[in-house]
Amino acid sequence: SAVISQKPSRDICQRGTSLTIQCQVDSQVTMMFWYRQQPGQSLTLIATANQGSEATYESGFVIDKFPISRPNLTFSTLTVSNMSPEDSSIYLCSVEASGRADGETQYFGPGTRLLVL
Amino acid sequence: GENVEQHPSTLSVQEGDSAVIKCTYSDSASNYFPWYKQELGKRPQLIIDIRSNVGEKKDQRIAVTLNKTAKHFSLHITETQPEDSAVYFCAAPRNAGNMLTFGGGTRLMVKP
C-alpha cells in the first residue's frame, strides 16, 4: 500500500481565514480524493483531484470554498477558504493507485484535524 | 447515485463472540465492496474487500459475504477481541466507478 502523509496534522484557525492542507504520497498515483469527516460521522467525499485536469466536486462542495491543486502524481493540496466554525472537521486525503474503472482500494492519509474558532 | 445503508450503528459483544455488520447498496452496477476499520483518532484502514465475482472472502477471523441479488454485503468477525473495538465502515463505488460512497458506520465495542 502507498505511504501517505498530510500536513498539518492539526490546526486551530480563526474564522474568516484560510488553511491549505497538503497530501504527499510516496509513489505516483492516478487518482486522489479529499474527504471530510465530521465528529462521530462517516466520510463524505469533497472532490476528486486528478493530475492534469480540474478537480471534480461533489454536490454541496464548491471550488471557491475548497480549491484543490494537483500539480503532479504524488502531491495535492486542499484549501478551506473563509472558514467558519462549521468547517471544524477532519479532512482526509486518499489515493487509488490503479485507476481501474471498476473500483480499486483506496488508502487514507492520517487526516488533518481542523478547529475553527 | 449510490446509497449505502449500514446496520447496526452500534454493536456491543462479549469477547470471544461473533459480530456481524450488514450493508445494503442501491446501484446494481456496483462490483467492489471494501470494509474499513477506524480506531479512535486514527485513519480508516482497509481490512477486507470483495468483488462481485465471488460470494465470500475470508482472512483469518474476518470474512465478508456478498449477495448481489439482494444487494447486500456483510462483515463477520469471529472470536472477537478487545482490540477489535473500533468504528467499521462499508463502502460501495458510485456508478461502478472509482468514487466510494460510505455507510454511516458501526461502532463495535468488545467487552472483556
Side-chain angles (χ1 to χ4, degrees):
Chain A
S1 65
V3 176
I4 308 163
S5 60
Q6 281 186 237
K7 283 193 225 181
S9 58
R10 59 180 63 233
D11 207 342
I12 301 174
C13 301
Q14 297 297 319
R15 69 175 67 206
T17 62
S18 298
L19 176 72
T20 295
I21 302 167
Q22 300 178 4
C23 181
Q24 179 77 51
V25 192
D26 70 339
S27 58
Q28 294 185 337
V29 296
T30 306
M31 302 187 75
M32 297 179 79
F33 305 89
W34 286 98
Y35 288 84
R36 182 173 72 185
Q37 186 176 30
Q38 296 182 307
Q41 302 295 311
S42 185
L43 296 100
T44 301
L45 182 64
I46 297 172
T48 303
N50 301 312
Q51 196 266 339
S53 62
E54 294 284 331
T56 305
Y57 289 83
E58 296 299 300
S59 175
F61 297 97
V62 295
I63 187 170
D64 289 347
K65 176 68 175 177
F66 297 101
I68 285 171
S69 78
R70 180 81 196 272
N72 56 51
L73 291 175
T74 63
F75 186 78
S76 178
T77 67
L78 169 76
T79 299
V80 186
S81 304
N82 188 25
M83 288 184 286
S84 67
E86 292 71 37
D87 294 320
S88 297
S89 191
I90 299 172
Y91 292 86
L92 298 128
C93 68
S94 76
V95 305
E96 182 195 288
S98 73
R100 283 176 62 161
D102 62 349
E104 189 55 78
T105 304
Q106 289 187 26
Y107 301 98
F108 284 87
T112 296
R113 193 176 297 268
L114 172 62
L115 176 63
V116 183
L117 301 177
Chain B
E2 178 75 277
N3 184 40
V4 179
E5 302 272 347
Q6 184 171 345
H7 299 281
S9 57
T10 61
L11 179 60
S12 181
V13 300
Q14 286 295 136
E15 182 177 0
D17 288 350
S18 295
V20 181
I21 303 169
K22 183 173 176 178
C23 286
T24 60
Y25 61 97
S26 59
D27 187 348
S28 57
S30 293
N31 53 10
Y32 172 69
F33 307 94
W35 284 91
Y36 288 85
K37 174 184 180 182
Q38 187 176 32
E39 297 176 71
L40 189 63
K42 302 286 183 62
R43 75 186 82 189
Q45 297 268 21
L46 179 81
I47 56 172
I48 195 167
D49 56 14
I50 191 169
R51 292 192 184 274
S52 58
N53 56 343
V54 297
E56 183 175 3
K57 184 177 178 180
K58 284 185 181 178
D59 183 2
Q60 300 182 337
R61 296 186 297 108
I62 294 172
V64 57
T65 58
L66 172 64
N67 184 326
K68 283 218 73 177
T69 303
K71 289 191 282 188
H72 67 71
F73 57 111
S74 300
L75 178 70
H76 305 253
I77 306 174
T78 59
E79 301 172 31
T80 54
Q81 301 166 4
E83 49 266 38
D84 294 329
S85 297
V87 179
Y88 292 81
F89 293 100
C90 64
R94 192 180 318 162
N95 300 325
N98 305 89
M99 291 172 287
L100 294 176
T101 298
F102 283 81
T106 297
R107 183 173 300 279
L108 173 64
M109 293 167 284
V110 181
K111 295 179 286 186

